[in-house]
Amino acid sequence: VESVVIAGAGQAGLQVAASLRQEGFQGAITLIGDEPGLPYQRPPLSKAYLLGKIGLANMHFRPASFFEEQRVTLLHDSVQAIDRTNRRVTLASGGALDYGHLVLAVGAHNRLLPVPGAELDGVFGVKTLADADALAPRLAHVKNAVVVGAGFIGLEFAAVASALGVHVHVLELGDRPMARAVSKEMSDAFSAAHQSWGVHLDFRQGLTRIDGDNGRVCAVETTDGRRLPADLVVFGIGVIPNVKLAVEAGLDVDNGIKVDANLLTQDPAISAIGDVASFPSHFVERHIRLESVQNAMDQARTVAARLMGKTAPYAALPWFWTDQRDLKLQIVGLNDGYDDTVVLRGKAAYQMTVLCFRRGQLVAVETLNRPADHMVARKLLGRSCQLTPREAGAEGFELKAYEL
Ligand code: FAD
């Protein structure tokens, strides 16, 4: 391959460019991103950046000099269409670009609130730097915030806002927080923590509409008919992969752009990675999509290596983290279909490790404020692990000791 064009200059796209150069790729690399400025990390948007603890400079993946030194052409433009026959993408600015290989790293967009009033001033998602920059200054003046969705982003926002003295009310359709990703035991620990911070958690509850006053949000109505005062509404109800380009180019799409174990679409000149890619998981034996920094980076490395002739199926161990005030949750593995857990409690109040088993096999480990256990768990899950629930449940069992 002589030239690589990367659509999307986020976590995955930037990493493909960086890894290609690390691997010694000499050809042209063009990174096309439709957001202004240098490519940046998203995780702080709902955490330290929102809290004002870190600035934008700390969120850039690489300084401006990187692009020059590494001969990576960064275009602020939007890929509009893919002409697979001629291996060419067309851009919103009117230009076109030929590719030897095309990497689709276009991410996902927020699912919007499907209720009247969602367009009012004061209703926010947290996906982009622009979102966080619009949201952060409001926090100083807000009294009541309603959060829709008790997933990672909703809870991270609730942690920040409550720390700033905002009264936060969380509406969640499910019956526990972060239910899609963590065990019941871990959900319970986060419920307790948020309650201790004064966050009101309202489960099995959605909203039917948002009310405005002069175009600005002033209240929401819950599914059971209550009216909650709100001068801010923040929603985190999931994302939709950006598949339009792929669909229009005739590529297979099924909850994301469908790729094979090597992260190739059915077109051998097009790969897809990161939040937008639906790939056959080494761990759960079906196609999945993961929204994590780890997945974006490791998939990028897999594709860069393949383009340099080192083809290997993507089999990286999934891991993830979330920070909410003084709670750091780290997850390794996928707890899909887990049927048994063993909880190891630490000395401090919010210190615990949850081992998740599926049919007797350890499939995921969640650690709360126990980074050492997380590192051990990564090693354990990285090779075939024989630990049984019985062993783990024995009096005095420690993950660290098991590894030795
Ligand atoms: P993105 O980083 O979203 O990049 C895709 C880029 O492509 C975007 O800039 C988009 O605008 C651009 N684009 C889309 N279409 C086009 C087009 N046609 N042409 C050109 N450009 C286009 N993960 C964790 O592991 N831990 C965390 O704590 C964590 N916290 C997060 C907090 C927030 C607020 C958010 C939003 C995400 C968080 N994530 C976290 C998830 C993580 O950031 C994503 O999984 C990761 O950014 C995915 O990388 P990506 O490159 O696939 O997509």
Side-chain angles (χ1 to χ4, degrees):
V1 176
E2 281 182 2
S3 66
V4 176
V5 168
I6 304 160
Q11 187 87 49
L14 185 284
Q15 188 62 45
V16 176
S19 292
L20 275 171
R21 287 296 183 234
Q22 265 161 21
E23 298 267 353
F25 181 71
Q26 293 296 328
I29 301 176
T30 310
L31 182 60
I32 308 168
D34 62 3
E35 291 187 74
L38 292 173
Y40 63 91
Q41 307 171 39
R42 295 188 195 284
L45 296 177
S46 48
K47 308 180 184 77
Y49 184 73
L50 197 57
L51 201 52
K53 275 200 173 160
I54 67 163
L56 179 57
N58 295 313
M59 285 162 45
H60 291 146
F61 295 112
R62 298 284 195 283
S65 56
F66 163 87
F67 297 89
E68 205 171 311
E69 284 163 17
Q70 298 293 313
R71 291 178 298 113
V72 173
T73 307
L74 176 63
L75 293 184
H76 290 110
D77 211 326
S78 169
V79 176
Q80 297 265 284
I82 307 166
D83 173 355
R84 286 169 53 194
T85 313
N86 297 302
R87 295 197 178 171
R88 180 176 300 158
V89 292
T90 53
L91 305 175
S93 63
L97 209 60
D98 293 339
Y99 60 84
H101 195 85
L102 174 64
V103 180
L104 297 174
V106 288
H109 60 276
N110 279 333
R111 202 156 83 75
L112 299 178
L113 282 174
V115 297
E119 73 296 337
L120 286 165
D121 181 29
V123 180
F124 288 92
V126 194
K127 181 73 183 170
T128 63
L129 184 62
D131 290 335
D133 282 341
L135 179 55
R138 300 247 180 156
L139 286 175
H141 315 289
V142 164
K143 265 204 191 120
N144 297 297
V146 167
V147 172
V148 188
F152 294 116
I153 292 184
L155 288 194
E156 287 172 1
F157 171 80
V160 167
S162 62
L164 295 173
V166 178
H167 177 256
V168 184
H169 193 118
V170 181
L171 299 174
E172 163 60 48
L173 284 176
D175 58 3
R176 61 183 178 94
M178 306 181 291
R180 212 160 49 101
V182 306
S183 65
K184 167 96 171 49
E185 291 84 345
M186 193 54 78
S187 288
D188 290 346
F190 275 81
S191 289
H194 276 268
Q195 276 154 6
S196 78
W197 301 331
V199 173
H200 189 101
L201 298 173
D202 205 349
F203 296 114
R204 297 181 199 86
Q205 204 61 238
L207 78 177
T208 50
R209 63 159 205 268
I210 306 172
D211 292 335
D213 182 13
N214 275 324
R216 273 185 98 129
V217 53
C218 66
V220 305
E221 193 179 281
T222 60
T223 13
D224 65 356
R226 282 170 293 146
R227 195 176 144 90
L228 307 174
D231 29 24
L232 184 72
V233 174
V234 171
F235 60 94
I237 54 169
V239 298
I240 299 167
N242 292 325
V243 296
K244 187 165 172 275
L245 268 179
V247 169
E248 288 172 359
L251 296 172
D252 285 345
V253 163
D254 180 12
N255 175 37
I257 303 172
K258 210 160 177 189
V259 293
D260 65 14
N262 295 315
L263 310 177
L264 267 178
T265 66
Q266 80 258 36
D267 183 332
I270 307 179
S271 303
I273 58 172
D275 282 11
V276 80
S278 172
F279 66 96
S281 167
H282 178 73
F283 297 91
V284 293
E285 290 162 8
R286 62 184 169 87
H287 272 70
I288 58 171
R289 219 165 46 71
L290 290 178
E291 295 154 19
S292 73
V293 166
Q294 170 278 322
N295 183 65
M297 294 187 75
D298 285 337
Q299 292 197 332
R301 293 181 181 118
T302 297
V303 166
R306 165 165 43 77
L307 292 172
M308 294 303 287
K310 290 181 248 169
T311 303
Y314 177 67
L317 182 63
W319 57 265
F320 184 83
W321 81 93
T322 174
D323 295 326
Q324 296 171 32
R325 296 225 205 167
D326 51 352
L327 302 189
K328 184 174 197 79
L329 167 62
Q330 293 167 292
I331 307 171
V332 55
L334 298 173
N335 76 359
D336 264 56
Y338 78 97
D339 49 28
D340 199 0
T341 56
V342 173
V343 181
L344 310 172
R345 295 199 187 269
K347 291 201 177 74
Y350 287 106
Q351 242 189 356
M352 69 173 190
T353 298
V354 182
L355 307 172
C356 300
F357 294 88
R358 184 175 58 229
R359 295 191 295 273
Q361 177 85 30
L362 185 68
V363 290
V365 178
E366 303 162 350
T367 51
L368 184 54
N369 293 351
R370 288 185 119 179
D373 266 11
H374 173 72
M375 293 318 292
V376 174
R378 276 210 220 175
K379 284 190 206 154
L380 280 182
L381 286 166
R383 48 180 158 86
S384 85
C385 167
Q386 305 303 326
L387 178 66
T388 64
R390 213 187 139 98
E391 280 175 278
E395 186 73 33
F397 173 84
E398 276 191 52
L399 209 51
K400 245 193 321 221
Y402 182 79
E403 193 214 2
L404 297 174

